[in-house]
Amino acid sequence: MAGEQMIPSGASSPVQKQMEQALGTIGVTTAHKQILALILIGCLFDAFEQNTIGLIAPMLKAQWGLTGADIGFLNTITFASAAAGRLLSGILGDRYGRRVMLTINLLLFTLGSALCALAPSFGVLCIARAIVGFGVGGEISTAVTMLAEFCSPKFRGTAAGLVNVGAGGFGNFLAPAFGLVVFTLFAGDDAWRWLFGVLAIPAFLVVFFRRYVPETPRFLASQGKIDEANKVLSILASGSLRPKELRIKAYLSKPEDGSDQPAKSSWRELFQVRYLGRTIPVAIAILMSYGAQLSVLTLMPMIFMSMGHTLSGSLLFSMIIQSGSVLGAITASMFGYYFPRKRVLSIGSVCACAAALAIVCLGNGLYLVLFFGALFQFFVLLLNTSIWIYAPELYPTRIRGFGVALILASGSAAGSVVPTLAGFLFDNLGMLGVFGLAASMYAVFAFCIQLGPETYGRSMEDLTQPAESETPTVDFTKTAREQA
C-alpha cells in the first residue's frame, strides 16, 4: 500500500532526537497558551469573514441589484483565492518561516476587509474578496502547521485541533450573531460596510500582538539555526512570551562533525512517489468532507423553507444544527490527545455517512431533522478538525507547510464546486439528493483514509520512529558548559 511507505526524514539525527525530548520535557506552559490564544483570535475572525457574504446578500441585492449568481460568484472567488493563498503560503512558509507568513496573511486579510468596506462597485468588491480569501486561506494552514510545531508530541494534536474549534466551530456558529450585533449598532443601507470595517479592526490588533510570537523551534532547527531554536525553547519553558530575564538553556547541541546541515526546502519533493502515497488519499478525503459540509450549510435554509418554514425560522433552525459543529470540533481536539488519528477518522466517517442517511430515511418531522442534522454536523466537524490534526504529522519540517497547504486547499476547492452539484440534486430530488450525495462522499472518505499512514505517537520527522523513543538523556548543563 503506497500510503504505508514510511520515509526517514532525519529523525535519527541528534538534533531531532533532542528536539523531541526537549518539547516533551517542557510540556505545555503559559507561553504555549498565549501563542494559542493569539492564533485562535485571528482564526475566529477569519471564520466571521468567510460568513459575511451570506449575511449581507439581501442588502447587496437590494442596494446594487445583484442576482443570486452574483452572490455565488463572490463566494467562488473567496474560496478559489483561499486555495491559492494556502498553496503559496505553504511554499513560502517552508522557505522563509511560519511566523513571516502568518503576519503577511493576516495583513492581507485586514487590507481585504477594509477594501470590502469601501468598495464603490461590484467589480471592486470582487477584487477585495480575492484579497480576503488569499489571506484567510494562508493564515489557517499556517496556523495549523505552526501550532503542531510548537507543541510536544502528546499535545500537538489538541493544539492543531483547537484552530478549528475557533474557526469551524465557534466561528461559524457565532457568525450570524456577530452580524446581527453589527447591524443593530450600525443600522441603515451601509450596515454591510460597517460589518467589513469592524472585522478589520480586531485583525489589526492581533497583528500587533503577534509581534511577540516567535518562529517555531522545529523550523529554526531544520534551518541549522540551533542558537535561535534554543532561545525559543527557553522562552516556551519560561512560561512567558516576554520573559524579563531569559536564561537560555542549550536544549539542542550543534554537531561537531557538521552532520546536521540546513534542510533544503523544495515544494517539488511533495510530488515524489514516497509522499504522494499519503497526500492523494488524504486530499481526496478532505475534499469529500468539505464538499459535503459546505453543500449542507448552503442549502439547509432552502431545505427548511421547502418544508414550509419562514426565512427567519429557517435561519434559526440552521443555527441550531450548527451547534453540533462546536461540539464536534471540541471533541476532535480532545480525541487528538488520546486516540490514533486513523481510528477517529475511520469511525467518524462511517458515523457521518449514517447520520446523513438517517436524515433521509427518518427525518419526517422538524425535530428529527434538527436532531440528525446536528448529529451530522457533529461528525462533520469531528472529521474536519481531525484532518487538521493529521495533516501536519504526515510530512517532515522542510515540506510540512506546503504539504498541509495542499491538503487544505483541496477542501477549499471543494467549496467552489460541490455546492453547485448539490444544488442541482436538490432541485431535482429534494433532500434525498443533498444528503444522499453527502452519505456517498463520506463513504469515499472512509475508504481513502485507510490508505494513509498512522501518525499518532510517531516522530514528525520520521514516521518509522516513535515520538518519545528511548532517546539517550541529554545533560543540558554539561552541553551548555561545553558550548561556553
Side-chain angles (χ1 to χ4, degrees), residues 358-379:
I359 294 175
V360 174
C361 300
L362 304 176
N364 299 321
L366 174 62
Y367 295 115
L368 287 175
V369 171
L370 289 176
F371 172 76
F372 288 119
L375 189 65
F376 175 78
Q377 283 298 111
F378 172 87
F379 288 114

Side-chain angles (χ1 to χ4, degrees), residues 16-278:
Q16 294 299 344
K17 287 184 177 181
Q18 292 168 12
M19 177 66 72
E20 298 288 354
Q21 183 186 10
L23 290 173
T25 301
I26 293 171
V28 181
T29 69
T30 302
H32 284 96
K33 297 174 183 178
Q34 292 170 347
I35 292 171
L36 182 61
L38 289 172
I39 290 177
L40 286 184
I41 290 173
C43 293
L44 176 67
F45 282 95
D46 284 352
F48 285 172
E49 231 296 332
Q50 292 182 75
N51 282 272
T52 52
I53 297 301
L55 296 175
I56 68 172
M59 299 180 187
L60 290 180
K61 285 184 177 180
Q63 192 172 128
W64 285 355
L66 300 183
T67 64
D70 293 330
I71 299 299
F73 184 65
L74 288 173
N75 269 330
T76 298
I77 289 177
T78 304
F79 281 107
S81 182
R86 283 176 174 170
L87 294 176
L88 184 58
S89 294
I91 294 174
L92 296 178
D94 284 336
R95 177 168 297 184
Y96 300 109
R98 323 310 190 192
R99 183 174 180 269
V100 172
M101 293 314 302
L102 192 69
T103 303
I104 290 176
N105 285 316
L106 193 57
L107 285 172
L108 286 173
F109 162 76
T110 305
L111 174 63
S113 295
L115 287 177
C116 287
L118 301 173
S121 64
F122 178 71
V124 175
L125 184 59
C126 288
I127 295 173
R129 294 308 299 170
I131 297 174
V132 167
F134 196 96
V136 169
E139 183 182 2
I140 291 293
S141 60
T142 303
V144 172
T145 301
M146 205 169 186
L147 287 176
E149 292 183 350
F150 266 123
C151 298
S152 64
K154 193 69 175 176
F155 186 67
R156 70 193 184 204
T158 297
L162 285 173
V163 175
N164 211 27
V165 173
F170 283 105
N172 288 336
F173 177 68
L174 295 176
F178 176 77
L180 181 61
V181 170
V182 174
F183 294 154
T184 302
L185 294 176
F186 304 99
D189 294 338
D190 290 332
W192 65 272
R193 297 185 183 274
W194 283 105
L195 180 62
F196 286 122
V198 171
L199 282 171
I201 294 175
F204 176 78
L205 294 176
V206 174
V207 171
F208 174 80
F209 286 115
R210 281 186 180 175
R211 293 187 309 166
Y212 301 106
V213 178
E215 183 55 81
T216 71
R218 285 187 181 275
F219 177 80
L220 292 171
S222 74
Q223 298 300 301
K225 300 177 180 179
I226 303 302
D227 291 338
E228 293 181 43
N230 279 326
K231 181 178 179 180
V232 174
L233 290 170
S234 299
I235 290 173
L236 295 175
S238 74
S240 173
L241 294 180
R242 303 291 289 181
K244 295 181 179 179
E245 296 182 2
L246 178 63
R247 297 182 60 184
I248 299 178
K249 181 182 290 188
Y251 289 97
L252 313 178
S253 59
K254 296 180 180 179
E256 296 179 358
D257 59 0
S259 57
D260 279 19
Q261 297 296 322
K264 293 183 179 180
S265 169
S266 174
W267 60 271
R268 295 179 182 86
E269 184 180 358
L270 194 68
F271 296 99
Q272 296 177 0
V273 175
R274 56 184 179 179
Y275 290 118
L276 281 178
R278 57 184 78 166

Side-chain angles (χ1 to χ4, degrees), residues 1-7 273-279 281 451-453:
M1 183 180 306
E4 296 295 344
Q5 296 177 1
M6 306 299 187
I7 309 302
V273 175
R274 56 184 179 179
Y275 290 118
L276 281 178
R278 57 184 78 166
T279 301
L451 304 179

